[in-house]
Every structure is written in C-alpha cells, then in structure tokens.
C-alpha cells in the first residue's frame, strides 16, 4: 500500500523546493551582479588611470620630446605593473604606438576606436586587440594650448576580469550551501512544530506571558508610545502618560489626534520619521524623543516612540552654564581689579593720592550703583541675583547690560522659577544676538509689575529679525545659530506665557534696529 505524505511532509518538501529556487535565483543573481560590478569596476579603474596619465605634465612633455618612446615606455610599464592593468598605450594622434607591454608592437598602429578621443571626448569599449578581448578607455592628451598632441589607452583583458570573478565564486558557493542547509534545517524544524503553533505554550502560559510583558512595558522608566502601521496608537505606558501630561481617564489607544498629545509628539508620530535623541517640549518638560520603525519579516508594523525626561538635566545644564559664565566674569573682574589696584598703589607711591582715591572710588561707585539699582527695584532675590549675574556675564562678553530704571518687582507676583525661565532665556537670546556685532553692544532689560501682571521687555542692538524670522522665533527648534540642541529657550518662554494666558511678541527697535522681545504674564489668582 502506497504511503501518503503527511501535511508536515508536504510542507517540508514545498519549503525545500521554494527555498532551493530562491537561493538558486539569488545565487545566479549574485553572480550576475558580481560580474557586472567587476566589469564596472574595471572600466572605472582604466578610465580614471587613463585620465590621470593624460593629464600628467610629464606625459605631455615626453610626447613633444625627440624620443617619446624612450621617455614614455618605462613610465607606462611601471605604472601598468603598479596598477595591475594589462596594457597602457601612449600613442600619437595618428595611432602610432609609443608604449606597449609587447615591445615588438611599439611603432605599429593602435587597434581600436579613437575617433571619440580625437574629437576631445573619451572612448570606452570592449575590443579584441593584440592581447585578446579587453575593456579599454582611450582619452586625449592636450598641450598647453589645448590642442590634442597624443592619446592614452588603458585596458584590462576580459580574462583578467573573469579571474577576479572566479576568485569570488567559492565564497558565493559556500554561502549558497550554508543558506540551503540552514533553510532545510529550518523547514524541517518548522514542519515538526506545525501542530504547535504556539511553541508548546498553553492558554494559561500565554496569558501569563502577556501579563508579564504588559507589566514590563508599563513599569519601565522610559516612556513608550507604540503606533501601528495605520497611525493608530496601540500602547501608551504609564511613564509616557506622565511625561506627556495625559490625564488618567485619557484612552490608552486610538487615533493619535484623539489622545490629546502635545503638538511636538503628535507631529513626530504623524511624520513617522526616524529620529534619535531629539529635544521635544511637552508642557513644562523638555523631553528627549527617539523614534524607530518596527519591522517583522519585511513588513512594517509601525513605529515605537521612546521618551526620556531631560527637564532637570536641562535646568542643571543651564545653571552650570550660568555659573561657568559668572565664574569667568569674576575671574576677569579679579584680573581687572588687580590691574586697577596696582595702578592705585603706583599713584600713591608717586604721591598722587587724590587721583588714586578718585580712580578707586569711581570703579566702586559704578559697581555699587548697578547693585543698588537692581536690589532696590527687584525685591525677588533670585531675579535680582539673575540680573546681576547676567550683567557680569555680559561684561565679560563685551556687552553692556542695562537694567531699565522703570523696572520694579514687588515680592513674587509669579513663581520665581517661571520668572527666571522667561527673563533668563530672553537675556541669553539677546546676548547671543549682539555677540560678534559692531560696538556699541547693548542689551536693555525691563521687568515691571503693574496691576495686571508682569511685563518683561528685552531690547538689543543686534541685527534684528526679518518678519518671517520673528514669526518663527518661538517655534521649537528654530534658531539663527547652527548646531543641535538649539531653539529651546524661546520655546520655553512661549510655554510659560501660554500657560499663564499671557502674550509674547518680537518687534524691531525703530531707533537701534535690534530686536525687542516682549512678554506679559498675568498675575495668577
């Protein structure tokens, strides 16, 4: 009785047949591609070499010399051996050879097409010459006046190209054999496990595995947003909800537009573009986002967006930059103070005490005047310290920071953290704008509290902004300076202003020509 094949056996035979056909087709394609690549590489090689020889001043001088053969034959042979080509022929415009690997052929006519080279172009062809079939390139040699004084032909025989290809065949054959063995083994294992599509797991085990993976995804310290190929959010873990500011009753899956995601996250998910460690604003937070496409067996499943909170790191970095700038300013001031002290001491030694006292008291009065004005106008200690620190930082950078006489802040009308964010970023932006410009470089700061809120206005003498630049200045990632990680400061200012229901704008100073950044923050009830 004839034995019938089982489904597993039929599947195994079908898979082996298909894999064999695929691997065979892939091997044949690889061989054809390798042959084409080897030929293309040979053509590129002889073309580049021919052009290099033709442009050599030594070759042009040798063609005009009384004995071209004696000057060119050693050069051509040494170059041919060094470049592993089969022939380098330098000839006169009438095809008379001056060089050849076979010395007996020197002085005879070159066999091949040269019309294109004589016309000023180049000739690339496969031709049967004195050395057999070869791929060759013929290019002209021009004199100083541009006239064609000779031709250069460089070629590689087809046999040499085939030898290069044959050296690759054992590796291709070995890869084919390994691929067939692996595919056959995989098909055999798959046929044995056909009846166990769940890899031997029962319903309870599969449920436990799902619960385990779900618990892991929701407990990791990175925010995860999984999106399918249709743009529908399939998973938002707990950390992502916290970072993105999603409420507890917000759906965990569905269309991205219906989840109330921040604009930056919604735009990134909709674009599907891959990114790594891209800064993103989400409310008060500065997040670092990375997005990757997920694929399985060649199919695109969707994207995975990972989020990390860098708010505290950004704040610490900003504080570190401020401290570093203040330290540098203090070092410069200490150096300058030492110079002035030496001057005062020298004046005293010279018996000019009055001038020494006047010099010392003028410097102290100027510094104390700024401190008294800031402290008297601004009762918020953190803001006063910020303005004094920025003044020292500006002085170090050759910029005059002026605190407007109309500045007045009583107490803490808005939280100090938000006030420092707005004032600090506006001043930093102004200092960046005037850096490198012609003197005078000035930044004027006004912080005034009235019955409706706090007005912050920062003017600079920089180049200003065009209307298009002013319209985009508060957008995340926009900056006039090159480099990654920029375009965050004014975005944070916009976030603070919008959270308080305030306003923000950029205009141009009609007198100084620089930018005027104005932010108004209503006092919260």
């Amino acid at each position: 009785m004839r034995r019938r094949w089982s489904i597993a056996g039929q599947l195994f035979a079908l898979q082996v047949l298909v894999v064999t056909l695929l691997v065979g087709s892939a091997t044949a394609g690889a061989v054809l591609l390798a042959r084409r690549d080897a030929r293309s590489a040979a053509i590129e090689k002889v073309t580049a070499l021919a052009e290099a020889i033709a442009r050599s001043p030594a070759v042009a001088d040798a063609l005009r010399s009384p004995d071209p053969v004696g000057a060119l034959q050693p050069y051509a042979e040494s170059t041919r051996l060094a470049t592993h080509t089969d022939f380098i022929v330098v000839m006169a415009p009438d095809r008379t050879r001056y060089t050849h690997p076979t010395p007996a052929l020197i002085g005879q006519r070159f066999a091949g097409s040269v019309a294109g080279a004589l016309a000023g172009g180049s000739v690339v062809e496969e031709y049967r010459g004195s050395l057999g079939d070869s791929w060759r390139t013929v290019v002209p040699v021009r004199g100083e006046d541009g006239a064609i004084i000779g031709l250069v032909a460089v070629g590689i025989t087809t046999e040499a190209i085939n030898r290069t290809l044959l050296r690759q065949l054992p590796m291709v054959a070995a890869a084919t054999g390994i691929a067939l063995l692996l595919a056959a083994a995989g098909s055999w294992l798959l046929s044995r496990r056909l009846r166990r599509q769940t890899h031997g797991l029962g319903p309870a085990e599969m449920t436990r595995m799902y619960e385990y993976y779900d618990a892991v995804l929701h407990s990791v310290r990175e925010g995860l947003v999984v999106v399918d190929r249709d743009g529908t959010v399939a998973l938002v873990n707990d950390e992502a909800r916290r970072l993105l500011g999603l409420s507890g009753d917000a759906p965990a899956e569905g269309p991205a537009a219906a989840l109330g995601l921040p604009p930056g996250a919604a735009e990134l998910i909709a674009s599907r573009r891959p990114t790594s460690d891209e800064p993103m604003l989400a409310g008060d937070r500065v997040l670092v986002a990375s997005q990757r496409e997920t694929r399985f067996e060649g199919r695109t499943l969707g994207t995975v967006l990972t989020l990390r909170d860098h708010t505290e790191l950004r704040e610490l970095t900003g504080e570190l930059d401020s401290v570093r700038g203040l330290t540098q300013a203090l070092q410069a001031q200490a150096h300058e103070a030492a110079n002035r002290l030496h001057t005062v001491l020298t004046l005293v030694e010279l018996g000019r005490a009055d001038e020494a006292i006047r010099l010392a008291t003028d410097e102290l009065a100027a510094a104390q005047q700024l401190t008294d004005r800031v402290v008297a106008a601004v009762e918020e200690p953190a803001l006063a310290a910020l303005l004094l620190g920025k003044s020292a930082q500006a002085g170090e950078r050759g910029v005059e920071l002026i605190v407007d006489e109309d500045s007045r802040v009583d107490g803490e009308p808005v939280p100090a953290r938000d006030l420092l964010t707005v004032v600090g970023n506006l001043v930093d932006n102004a200092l960046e704008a005037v850096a490198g410009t012609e003197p005078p470089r000035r930044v004027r700061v006004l912080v005034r509290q009235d019955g409706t809120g706090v007005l912050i206005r920062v003017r600079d003498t920089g180049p200003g902004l065009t209307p298009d630049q002013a319209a985009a200045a508060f957008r995340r990632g926009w900056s006039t300076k090159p480099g990654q990680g920029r375009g965050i400061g004014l975005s944070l200012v916009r976030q603070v202003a919008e959270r308080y229901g305030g306003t923000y704008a950029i205009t141009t100073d009609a007198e100084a020509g620089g930018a005027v950044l104005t932010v108004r923050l209503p006092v919260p009830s």
Side-chain angles (χ1 to χ4, degrees):
M1 183 176 179
R2 186 176 179 180
R3 183 179 178 182
R4 300 180 61 182
W5 283 32
S6 64
I7 295 179
Q10 294 181 29
L11 179 62
F12 173 73
L14 179 61
Q15 288 179 330
V16 169
L17 177 61
V18 171
V19 169
T20 302
L21 292 176
L22 289 176
V23 173
S25 301
T27 303
V31 171
L32 293 176
L33 289 175
R35 180 181 179 185
R36 186 189 66 181
D37 292 343
R39 184 178 64 186
S40 299
I43 293 173
E44 293 176 358
K45 178 179 179 180
V46 298
T47 300
L49 182 58
E51 291 178 351
I53 295 174
R55 295 175 182 174
S56 173
V59 173
D61 293 341
L63 287 172
R64 290 192 294 264
S65 68
D67 184 16
V69 175
L72 293 172
Q73 175 67 4
Y75 169 78
E77 282 302 290
S78 62
T79 304
R80 180 182 68 83
L81 294 175
T83 57
H84 303 288
T85 52
D86 291 307
F87 65 85
I88 297 177
V89 177
V90 184
M91 69 192 87
D94 61 357
R95 295 173 177 256
T96 301
R97 297 189 183 105
Y98 293 141
T99 66
H100 197 277
T102 305
L105 298 180
I106 296 176
Q108 299 183 15
R109 287 176 58 82
F110 173 76
S113 302
V114 297
L118 290 174
S122 62
V123 177
V124 179
E125 64 174 353
E126 184 180 14
Y127 191 84
R128 177 179 289 275
S130 58
L131 300 179
D133 292 337
S134 64
W135 280 95
R136 59 183 64 187
T137 297
V138 184
V139 297
V141 181
R142 297 182 182 272
E144 295 180 355
D145 56 355
I148 297 176
I149 60 175
L151 302 173
V152 176
V154 180
I156 298 179
T157 61
T158 304
E159 182 181 357
I161 297 175
N162 291 336
R163 285 198 301 268
T164 302
L165 180 62
L166 289 174
R167 287 195 294 268
Q168 301 177 4
L169 288 181
M171 182 175 62
V172 175
T176 301
I178 293 174
L180 284 173
L181 290 175
L182 291 176
S187 299
W188 178 68
L189 292 174
L190 182 61
S191 66
R192 287 189 58 188
R193 299 193 176 189
L194 181 62
R195 66 181 180 274
R196 297 178 296 172
Q197 296 182 0
T198 59
H199 302 281
L201 297 176
E205 294 170 317
M206 293 184 66
T207 300
R208 186 165 58 252
M209 181 173 290
Y210 168 79
E211 293 174 348
Y212 171 75
Y213 283 125
D214 186 70
V216 169
L217 289 175
H218 282 282
S219 61
V220 293
R221 298 191 60 183
E222 283 192 342
L224 293 177
V225 181
V226 181
V227 185
D228 64 17
R229 65 168 65 93
D230 298 326
T232 301
V233 177
L235 171 69
V236 181
N237 71 346
D238 297 341
E239 182 66 8
R241 284 176 171 272
R242 184 183 71 84
L243 296 178
L244 296 175
L246 300 180
S247 60
D249 56 352
E253 58 183 36
L259 298 183
L261 299 175
E267 182 274 330
L268 186 58
I269 291 174
S271 67
R272 295 178 175 270
R273 55 184 173 85
T275 184
S276 178
D277 294 340
E278 176 180 327
M280 179 200 308
L281 294 177
D284 296 337
R285 300 182 183 276
V286 178
L287 307 181
V288 173
S290 299
Q291 183 164 262
R292 290 290 182 271
E293 185 180 66
T294 56
R295 301 178 66 86
F296 179 76
E297 295 183 351
R299 295 184 298 111
T300 299
L301 299 181
T303 57
V304 174
L305 175 65
T306 60
L307 303 169
R308 286 175 291 158
D309 191 356
H310 271 216
T311 304
E312 296 181 358
L313 180 60
R314 287 276 181 177
E315 292 177 354
L316 291 175
T317 303
E319 293 177 4
L320 178 60
D321 291 339
S322 299
V323 171
R324 184 182 294 113
L326 183 57
T327 302
Q328 294 174 352
L330 291 176
Q331 290 174 347
Q333 289 180 358
H335 182 75
E336 189 66 18
N339 291 334
R340 293 193 180 97
L341 180 59
H342 291 160
T343 304
V344 169
L345 292 176
T346 303
L347 289 174
V348 172
E349 292 175 354
L350 294 175
R352 306 175 69 173
D354 293 339
E355 296 182 10
I357 293 173
R358 186 169 59 255
L359 176 62
T361 55
D362 287 347
E363 294 296 330
L364 290 174
Q368 189 62 38
Q369 182 180 7
L370 174 62
T371 302
D372 292 342
R373 186 169 67 250
V374 171
V375 173
V378 180
E379 293 185 2
E380 167 55 47
L383 180 58
L386 174 68
L387 292 175
L388 291 174
K390 293 296 182 184
S391 177
Q393 183 180 355
E396 170 67 14
R397 302 174 67 173
V399 180
E400 181 183 4
L401 180 65
I402 303 172
V403 179
D404 198 287
E405 296 179 355
D406 295 334
S407 296
R408 187 72 184 178
V409 177
D410 298 326
E412 189 176 337
V414 297
R417 174 180 175 180
D418 294 331
L419 196 58
L420 295 179
T421 296
V422 174
V423 176
N425 282 295
L426 291 182
V427 172
D428 287 340
N429 186 79
L431 293 178
E432 288 286 342
V434 300
T437 61
E438 295 295 329
R441 294 184 285 270
R442 294 192 182 95
V443 173
R444 181 178 292 273
V445 182
L446 170 66
V447 184
R448 187 176 65 208
Q449 177 184 357
D450 54 26
T452 60
V454 179
L455 173 66
I456 303 106
R457 179 176 292 126
V458 178
R459 301 174 181 267
D460 62 66
T461 58
L465 298 176
T466 65
D468 292 339
Q469 290 176 330
F474 288 94
R475 190 174 65 237
R476 178 184 60 84
W478 185 92
S479 176
T480 59
K481 304 290 184 181
Q484 295 183 350
R486 291 187 173 271
I488 297 295
L490 292 184
S491 296
L492 291 173
V493 172
R494 174 178 59 85
Q495 293 279 349
V496 174
E498 291 179 348
R499 188 168 69 252
Y500 282 88
T503 59
Y504 52 91
I506 296 181
T507 57
T508 301
D509 192 331
E511 298 180 0
V516 180
L517 291 87
T518 305
V519 176
R520 177 173 288 277
L521 301 178
V523 176
S525 57

